[in-house]
Amino acid sequence: MLKIKLKEESNSALYLQLYKELKKKIKSELESDTKLPPIRKLADDVGVNPATVVKAYDMLADEELIYKKVGSGSFVAPDRKIIKSENGEDMLKHGQIKLSESINFASAAPSTDLFPVEDFKYAINQVLERDQGEAFSYQKSQGFLPLRKSIRKYLTKRGIDSSLNQIQVVSGAQQAIDIISKIFLDYKDQIIVEDPTYFGALQAFKSRKADIKCVKMEEDGADLEEMESYLKKNKIKFFFTMQNFQNPTGVNWSQEKQLQLLELARKYDFYIIEDDILSDLYYNQNRVNNLKELDDQGRVIYIKSFSKVFMPGLRLAFIVLPETLLPEMLEAKYATDISSGGLTQRAFDYYIREGLLDKHISLQRNLFKKRYKLMKNQIINNLPNEIKITFEITGGLYFWLKLPEKQDAQKLYEKVAQKGLVFSPGYLFSNNNRYSNYFRLSFAAVDDKQIVRGITLLRDIYNEFRGTAKNDDYSPLL
Amino acid sequence: MLKIKLKEESNSALYLQLYKELKKKIKSELESDTKLPPIRKLADDVGVNPATVVKAYDMLADEELIYKKVGSGSFVAPDRKIIKSENGEDMLKHGQIKLSESINFASAAPSTDLFPVEDFKYAINQVLERDQGEAFSYQKSQGFLPLRKSIRKYLTKRGIDSSLNQIQVVSGAQQAIDIISKIFLDYKDQIIVEDPTYFGALQAFKSRKADIKCVKMEEDGADLEEMESYLKKNKIKFFFTMQNFQNPTGVNWSQEKQLQLLELARKYDFYIIEDDILSDLYYNQNRVNNLKELDDQGRVIYIKSFSKVFMPGLRLAFIVLPETLLPEMLEAKYATDISSGGLTQRAFDYYIREGLLDKHISLQRNLFKKRYKLMKNQIINNLPNEIKITFEITGGLYFWLKLPEKQDAQKLYEKVAQKGLVFSPGYLFSNNNRYSNYFRLSFAAVDDKQIVRGITLLRDIYNEFRGTAKNDDYSPLL
């Protein structure tokens, strides 16, 4: 019999409490296909109305945690510790693979236990109290004015001067990229991207049928000689770049290269789209430079998202752009989704004003710094020497690793996924099927124990994979 | 001296209470340029810390309700009862026009006092209690599974069968249109739209460089003969339509024409995009038919938004599409903004499950029905006969009015806007600068008193405008 006790005096509705308690038991102690108590019995045992049990069971069924058989009741769904990818898609299909425990080196989004839920809940309630229905009306396409003011202050602290007319609020960095593509790109327009780069950006550019030139990454930024030789013969609309702890390589641009890049932009007259997701996560120095700080010609369009250091599901980011582009920006934002959600903008504004964002970022930095050190250590000391860290990294959330030529990271992925470990194979970040022997390991969504177990598992599977398995020197589990 | 009393025991922070009280006074009793009390004095009077006053003043300044003069303190900003357009943009610029009271016949979004703020706040808190950080993680690109299940049930009640794989959650109807454009439209692709139609849709289609054919609206739907003669010579990707209480004409398609349209779609092999915003707001009959209910060939892609009958600032809508289009849909949604906000999806799901949406829609229907009757009455009895209601309407939120040929609705707009009344001139809904003597009057954001005053004002200004002003027969103000 299930032991469940609900609190009459709780703020939470009874069926939600029951749902939560049952979910806990399903995730911890109950075996797959265990029959749940009949509705009337559980209602009697717990001391609630049968309708309350029905609602709780419905919610569990809708989340596919239990299934119903007509005439025989409800049962716990087959065990499936599904691994979520970065965008929440299941990486392994239901029932396909039985996992003991999953380790997710693929997700670059922090795990949900790191989110400041209580603080943000407080912000939401304060804002609803303050603004009532206004919080749910259309916002200006450019964004909620007080939030834009908060953002301007945030930028000033980071060395970026801006006017309110230069700040556009959007629903996440992906939307920023999509809207910028709308403004700039027509069929066959030429652009340059870093190689490798973020596949969501490639998708958005391809959707506008852009002609994409890739310039390879070096340890201090993209290869500017390769870029210039292309620029001499081609007129590009923009260069898309992540200057700090680039995705997927982790590379941080040197200031020297940043200045050279700005000079190229001047000389060949193009815009630079700087997508900044991780510049707050520096581990070695005081802080790193955004390109936008050095931009005195108004050539850098700066995108800032808080997904990776805050909460990805908020869908909130902003763009700093030259004021001359504002009319086109407003039109493109309107055609895209009119405006971003009002409540989110207001609550986030409140959160920044209360100084909670700066506090949270600094906590995250310290936490990820520890994971970074552990992960680096584990890679160097525990993986075979032939798996190389491609670039020395000093911040961010991932390592870009290289297998010996002719090894296929996608095949390795398939092997490790069967044991419940996932990472991101290199081809995902390429526009032309390169990087088949590379992969990205992220430490955003794994704890210390999982880092150690994951690297050990990866080593063992790799050793089998290349046909030279060694069965000694297991590192102890933490 | 300002009389302000705050509640120590309130849930709301003191500075927010102070901000709200001051805002009330600024909007009701305080004249423009009135000096506000010095910080220290107000702090003493109210019995709070000076820092609390500073925060409240800052918030007011950020919303441009007060302004600061260095060395002399804070002042109430110049009176400006700005009228917001549908998407929250200011329709009259700051300081440009001094209004006694504004009447907004332009906005098709309900006024904020109609929003179910308390119920939705409860839903948000229940969901945060239940889901914690999960509510802020990436959701699946297709949408939160339990919400998709709630939507399926909602659709079944309205006669639309669907599978979960056919339902895509998006951030509002505008995003739905944008994403569908991404999937279908390349340079010079041909489509058909209703004439006149929603300008946000035209913007999205133009952004993909579509070749747009407009087919004129009749009292029972678009002119299908005109459409067929075009279809005989051209291959179109889709037809974009609002079947119920069309924007801006208010026309409801007859079932006969709905069936003919589906037959044309079969014969000439194209999709139909049905944008349904207002079908819940029927006033004469039991309910009206969505085209999707009659679609047995899977040719209708159905967009449902709750903006107009719920809360526009939520940015939530969904698409029902043929399952074969799902892969392209997921790719397009990912490239657009990865996924819609998690908290909103979860809270809305809770709201539907609790039966609150159905209850709210039915309240809205009764309320808008009364406004509709009053507005119709006022138009017929109070506007000059030469201003005609173009189509008999039986639901929705607007009337499509026609001035005599050669009169210019934009010029009339400029006249009435000076007196604080706004509406939507006809050219906004045209792809080729037609409808210059038409305009849309919406009753979404005005109360009974404003309807009567607005129509009377419109009549008087129109009479002057055409040079035949009459100064008698004012209707009494309600």
Side-chain angles (χ1 to χ4, degrees):
Chain A
M1 178 189 144
L2 294 173
K3 275 184 202 148
I4 288 177
K5 214 171 145 36
L6 309 183
K7 298 176 208 147
E8 279 286 358
E9 75 285 10
S10 162
N11 273 328
S12 183
L14 284 172
Y15 89 87
L16 287 180
Q17 289 188 52
L18 183 58
Y19 154 85
K20 273 175 74 176
E21 292 300 320
L22 287 167
K23 190 168 173 178
K24 248 189 258 166
K25 292 201 186 288
I26 289 165
K27 293 209 159 173
S28 56
E29 60 195 67
L30 296 180
E31 293 287 318
S32 300
D33 307 310
T34 308
K35 189 173 186 313
L36 291 170
I39 287 162
R40 207 160 281 280
K41 175 154 187 342
L42 184 58
D44 283 352
D45 288 352
V46 183
V48 294
N49 202 298
T52 304
V53 179
V54 170
K55 272 174 115 175
Y57 277 13
D58 277 354
M59 195 70 211
L60 291 166
D62 282 353
E63 288 195 49
E64 297 183 351
L65 293 165
I66 67 173
Y67 62 93
K68 294 174 186 182
K69 272 197 217 165
V70 181
S72 37
S74 296
F75 299 82
V76 174
D79 187 27
R80 45 185 204 108
K81 293 189 179 88
I82 292 299
I83 301 173
K84 301 279 182 187
S85 72
E86 209 161 320
N87 65 329
E89 304 301 336
D90 300 342
M91 293 192 70
L92 305 166
K93 292 279 178 235
H94 181 166
Q96 196 184 335
I97 291 158
K98 193 116 176 164
L99 304 173
S100 54
E101 195 204 347
S102 59
I103 295 171
N104 191 344
F105 288 155
S107 174
S111 43
T112 58
D113 56 315
L114 301 179
F115 298 167
V117 177
E118 282 309 311
D119 282 351
F120 206 74
K121 185 176 172 182
Y122 182 75
I124 287 173
N125 280 295
Q126 290 290 314
V127 159
L128 284 177
E129 186 74 26
R130 182 186 81 195
D131 300 342
Q132 300 291 326
E134 294 277 328
F136 296 116
S137 66
Y138 280 120
Q139 306 300 304
K140 288 194 185 194
S141 289
Q142 204 180 346
F144 180 55
L145 180 64
L147 174 60
R148 278 159 47 220
K149 294 193 177 181
S150 293
I151 288 169
R152 190 175 53 177
K153 283 181 201 159
Y154 167 95
L155 287 167
T156 306
K157 275 196 254 174
R158 279 158 181 80
I160 298 176
D161 286 328
S162 62
S163 76
L164 286 176
N165 272 339
Q166 292 181 279
I167 298 169
Q168 168 72 50
V169 177
V170 291
S171 309
Q174 183 68 33
Q175 184 178 76
I177 295 169
D178 184 48
I179 288 180
I180 289 169
S181 303
K182 269 206 183 85
I183 295 175
F184 285 103
L185 298 182
D186 274 331
Y187 184 71
K188 289 277 179 206
D189 276 345
Q190 293 177 309
I191 60 169
I192 300 180
V193 302
E194 293 166 330
D195 189 24
T197 191
Y198 166 56
F199 68 101
L202 290 172
Q203 259 189 297
F205 302 147
K206 283 182 196 164
S207 156
R208 303 292 293 190
K209 309 272 185 280
D211 179 0
I212 304 171
K213 162 75 181 167
C214 305
V215 170
K216 74 170 182 299
M217 286 302 281
E218 299 172 334
E219 61 183 357
D220 58 350
D223 180 342
L224 295 183
E225 284 178 26
E226 188 187 351
M227 188 185 287
E228 184 159 14
S229 77
Y230 186 80
L231 290 169
K232 279 180 182 158
K233 292 178 217 138
N234 300 276
K235 173 77 188 151
I236 67 163
K237 287 293 180 81
F238 61 73
F239 170 51
F240 175 78
T241 175
M242 285 162 279
Q243 296 274 305
N244 306 112
F245 318 126
Q246 197 252 4
N247 185 8
T249 62
V251 162
N252 201 48
W253 281 60
S254 70
Q255 198 174 75
E256 197 191 334
K257 270 209 174 168
Q258 289 185 316
L259 293 169
Q260 283 171 20
L261 174 61
L262 288 170
E263 178 52 26
L264 285 178
R266 195 197 53 72
K267 190 166 164 193
Y268 296 97
D269 188 24
F270 58 89
Y271 283 107
I272 300 166
I273 316 295
E274 178 182 15
D275 186 11
D276 176 14
I277 308 218
L278 296 180
S279 69
D280 291 310
L281 299 181
Y282 48 86
Y283 308 136
N284 271 4
Q285 326 150 35
N286 268 337
R287 70 179 200 89
V288 292
N289 284 325
N290 293 127
L291 187 66
K292 184 69 191 163
E293 293 174 55
L294 305 172
D295 171 34
D296 52 11
Q297 320 162 51
R299 295 201 172 268
V300 177
I301 297 171
Y302 176 76
I303 302 170
K304 177 76 193 176
S305 153
F306 296 103
S307 298
K308 299 295 187 283
V309 287
F310 192 55
M311 307 197 289
L314 266 197
R315 313 310 303 124
L316 207 58
F318 63 86
I319 304 173
V320 183
L321 69 159
E323 212 166 318
T324 47
L325 292 175
L326 183 64
E328 289 164 80
M329 173 60 71
L330 290 176
E331 193 178 321
K333 171 67 177 170
Y334 190 94
T336 298
D337 68 352
I338 300 182
S339 62
S340 293
L343 179 61
T344 311
Q345 292 190 57
R346 287 161 193 261
F348 192 58
D349 172 50
Y350 182 91
Y351 190 84
I352 298 178
R353 275 168 202 270
E354 293 293 304
L356 295 168
L357 181 64
D358 285 335
K359 208 181 75 181
H360 182 71
I361 288 176
S362 131
L363 280 172
Q364 297 287 85
R365 186 186 304 122
N366 289 332
L367 179 105
F368 286 127
K369 185 175 177 174
K370 283 184 199 137
R371 286 192 191 167
Y372 153 80
K373 284 183 173 169
L374 176 64
M375 185 87 151
K376 188 171 171 184
N377 210 331
Q378 285 290 315
I379 291 173
I380 292 170
N381 297 321
N382 216 349
L383 283 188
N385 280 334
E386 65 192 69
I387 303 182
K388 310 270 188 224
I389 295 183
T390 316
F391 300 106
E392 199 64 37
I393 73 154
T394 59
L397 292 171
Y398 16 73
F399 291 91
W400 181 237
L401 300 186
K402 187 179 176 183
L403 297 172
E405 311 278 342
K406 292 179 189 165
Q407 295 279 27
D408 186 337
Q410 171 60 20
K411 284 193 180 137
L412 179 60
Y413 172 82
E414 284 157 19
K415 291 275 178 209
V416 298
Q418 286 176 31
K419 303 286 180 185
L421 186 147
V422 289
F423 57 69
S424 307
Y427 76 90
L428 286 177
F429 305 94
S430 166
N431 191 35
N432 31 30
N433 296 312
R434 295 179 55 194
Y435 302 108
S436 64
N437 60 324
Y438 286 77
F439 59 104
R440 189 189 76 176
L441 284 191
S442 164
F443 49 91
V446 282
D447 60 24
D448 290 357
K449 203 168 142 180
Q450 290 170 322
I451 290 174
V452 176
R453 282 198 52 241
I455 296 293
T456 307
L457 190 62
L458 181 59
R459 178 198 61 189
D460 294 345
I461 296 170
Y462 176 76
N463 283 339
E464 271 176 46
F465 174 72
R466 64 162 185 195
T468 58
K470 285 188 282 185
N471 272 322
D472 49 0
D473 72 347
Y474 271 88
S475 83
L477 300 187
L478 277 193
Chain B
M1 178 190 145
L2 294 173
K3 276 185 199 145
I4 288 176
K5 215 174 142 34
L6 308 182
K7 298 178 207 142
E8 278 287 0
E9 74 285 11
S10 163
N11 273 328
S12 182
L14 284 172
Y15 89 89
L16 287 180
Q17 287 187 54
L18 184 59
Y19 154 85
K20 272 175 77 177
E21 293 300 319
L22 288 167
K23 190 169 175 179
K24 247 189 256 166
K25 292 202 186 289
I26 289 166
K27 293 209 161 174
S28 57
E29 59 195 67
L30 297 180
E31 294 287 319
S32 301
D33 306 311
T34 306
K35 189 173 188 309
L36 291 170
I39 288 160
R40 208 160 281 279
K41 175 157 188 340
L42 185 58
D44 283 351
D45 288 351
V46 182
V48 296
N49 203 296
T52 304
V53 179
V54 170
K55 271 175 119 174
Y57 278 11
D58 277 354
M59 195 69 210
L60 292 166
D62 282 354
E63 288 195 49
E64 297 183 351
L65 293 166
I66 67 174
Y67 62 93
K68 294 174 187 181
K69 273 197 219 166
V70 180
S72 36
S74 296
F75 299 82
V76 175
D79 187 27
R80 41 180 208 113
K81 293 187 176 92
I82 292 300
I83 301 174
K84 302 278 183 186
S85 73
E86 207 161 320
N87 65 326
E89 303 302 334
D90 301 341
M91 294 191 70
L92 304 168
K93 293 277 177 237
H94 181 167
Q96 195 183 338
I97 292 158
K98 192 114 177 166
L99 304 172
S100 53
E101 197 205 345
S102 58
I103 295 172
N104 190 343
F105 288 155
S107 173
S111 44
T112 57
D113 56 315
L114 301 179
F115 298 167
V117 177
E118 282 310 311
D119 282 352
F120 205 73
K121 186 176 172 182
Y122 182 76
I124 287 172
N125 280 296
Q126 289 290 314
V127 159
L128 284 176
E129 186 74 24
R130 181 186 81 195
D131 300 341
Q132 301 291 326
E134 294 278 328
F136 297 114
S137 65
Y138 280 121
Q139 306 300 303
K140 288 195 186 194
S141 287
Q142 203 180 347
F144 181 55
L145 181 63
L147 174 60
R148 278 160 48 222
K149 295 195 176 181
S150 293
I151 289 170
R152 189 173 54 177
K153 281 181 201 159
Y154 168 95
L155 288 166
T156 306
K157 275 197 253 171
R158 279 157 181 80
I160 298 175
D161 286 329
S162 62
S163 76
L164 287 176
N165 272 339
Q166 292 181 277
I167 298 169
Q168 167 71 49
V169 177
V170 291
S171 308
Q174 184 67 34
Q175 185 178 77
I177 295 170
D178 184 50
I179 289 180
I180 289 169
S181 302
K182 271 207 181 84
I183 295 175
F184 284 103
L185 298 182
D186 273 331
Y187 183 71
K188 290 278 179 204
D189 275 345
Q190 293 178 307
I191 59 169
I192 300 180
V193 301
E194 293 165 330
D195 188 25
T197 191
Y198 167 55
F199 68 99
L202 290 172
Q203 260 189 293
F205 302 147
K206 283 181 197 165
S207 156
R208 303 291 295 188
K209 310 275 185 273
D211 180 359
I212 304 171
K213 161 75 180 169
C214 305
V215 170
K216 74 169 182 298
M217 286 300 281
E218 301 173 332
E219 61 182 0
D220 57 350
D223 180 343
L224 295 184
E225 283 178 25
E226 187 188 350
M227 188 185 289
E228 184 159 15
S229 77
Y230 185 80
L231 290 170
K232 278 180 182 159
K233 292 177 216 139
N234 300 276
K235 173 76 188 155
I236 67 162
K237 286 293 180 81
F238 59 73
F239 170 52
F240 175 78
T241 175
M242 286 163 277
Q243 296 274 305
N244 307 113
F245 318 126
Q246 197 252 3
N247 186 6
T249 62
V251 161
N252 200 50
W253 281 61
S254 70
Q255 197 174 76
E256 197 190 334
K257 269 210 174 165
Q258 288 185 316
L259 292 169
Q260 284 171 19
L261 173 62
L262 288 170
E263 177 53 26
L264 284 179
R266 193 196 55 72
K267 190 166 164 192
Y268 296 98
D269 188 26
F270 58 88
Y271 283 107
I272 300 166
I273 316 295
E274 179 183 15
D275 185 12
D276 176 14
I277 307 217
L278 296 180
S279 69
D280 291 310
L281 299 181
Y282 48 85
Y283 307 136
N284 271 5
Q285 326 150 33
N286 267 336
R287 70 179 200 89
V288 292
N289 284 324
N290 293 127
L291 188 67
K292 185 68 191 165
E293 293 173 55
L294 305 172
D295 171 33
D296 51 11
Q297 319 163 52
R299 293 202 174 269
V300 177
I301 297 172
Y302 176 77
I303 302 171
K304 178 74 193 176
S305 153
F306 296 103
S307 298
K308 300 293 186 285
V309 288
F310 193 55
M311 306 196 289
L314 266 196
R315 314 310 302 127
L316 207 58
F318 62 85
I319 305 172
V320 183
L321 69 160
E323 212 165 319
T324 47
L325 292 175
L326 184 64
E328 288 163 81
M329 172 62 70
L330 289 176
E331 193 176 323
K333 172 67 178 168
Y334 191 94
T336 299
D337 69 351
I338 301 183
S339 62
S340 294
L343 178 61
T344 310
Q345 292 192 55
R346 286 163 194 259
F348 192 58
D349 172 50
Y350 182 90
Y351 191 85
I352 299 179
R353 275 168 203 270
E354 293 293 302
L356 295 169
L357 182 64
D358 286 335
K359 207 182 73 181
H360 183 70
I361 288 176
S362 131
L363 281 173
Q364 296 289 81
R365 186 186 302 123
N366 289 332
L367 178 105
F368 285 126
K369 185 175 179 177
K370 283 183 199 137
R371 287 191 189 166
Y372 153 80
K373 282 183 176 171
L374 177 64
M375 183 88 151
K376 188 172 171 184
N377 212 330
Q378 286 290 314
I379 292 172
I380 291 171
N381 297 319
N382 216 349
L383 283 188
N385 279 333
E386 65 192 68
I387 303 184
K388 310 268 188 228
I389 295 184
T390 317
F391 299 108
E392 199 63 40
I393 74 152
T394 60
L397 292 171
Y398 16 73
F399 291 90
W400 180 237
L401 299 187
K402 188 180 176 182
L403 297 172
E405 309 280 341
K406 292 179 189 164
Q407 296 278 28
D408 186 338
Q410 172 61 18
K411 284 190 181 141
L412 179 61
Y413 172 83
E414 285 157 19
K415 291 276 177 208
V416 298
Q418 287 178 29
K419 304 285 181 185
L421 187 149
V422 290
F423 57 68
S424 308
Y427 77 89
L428 286 177
F429 304 95
S430 167
N431 192 36
N432 30 30
N433 295 312
R434 295 178 57 194
Y435 302 108
S436 64
N437 61 322
Y438 288 76
F439 61 104
R440 190 189 76 177
L441 285 191
S442 163
F443 49 92
V446 281
D447 60 25
D448 290 358
K449 205 168 140 179
Q450 290 170 321
I451 290 174
V452 176
R453 281 198 54 241
I455 296 293
T456 306
L457 189 63
L458 181 58
R459 179 200 60 187
D460 294 344
I461 296 170
Y462 177 75
N463 283 338
E464 272 175 47
F465 175 72
R466 64 161 183 196
T468 58
K470 286 185 286 181
N471 272 324
D472 48 358
D473 74 348
Y474 269 88
S475 82
L477 299 187
L478 276 193

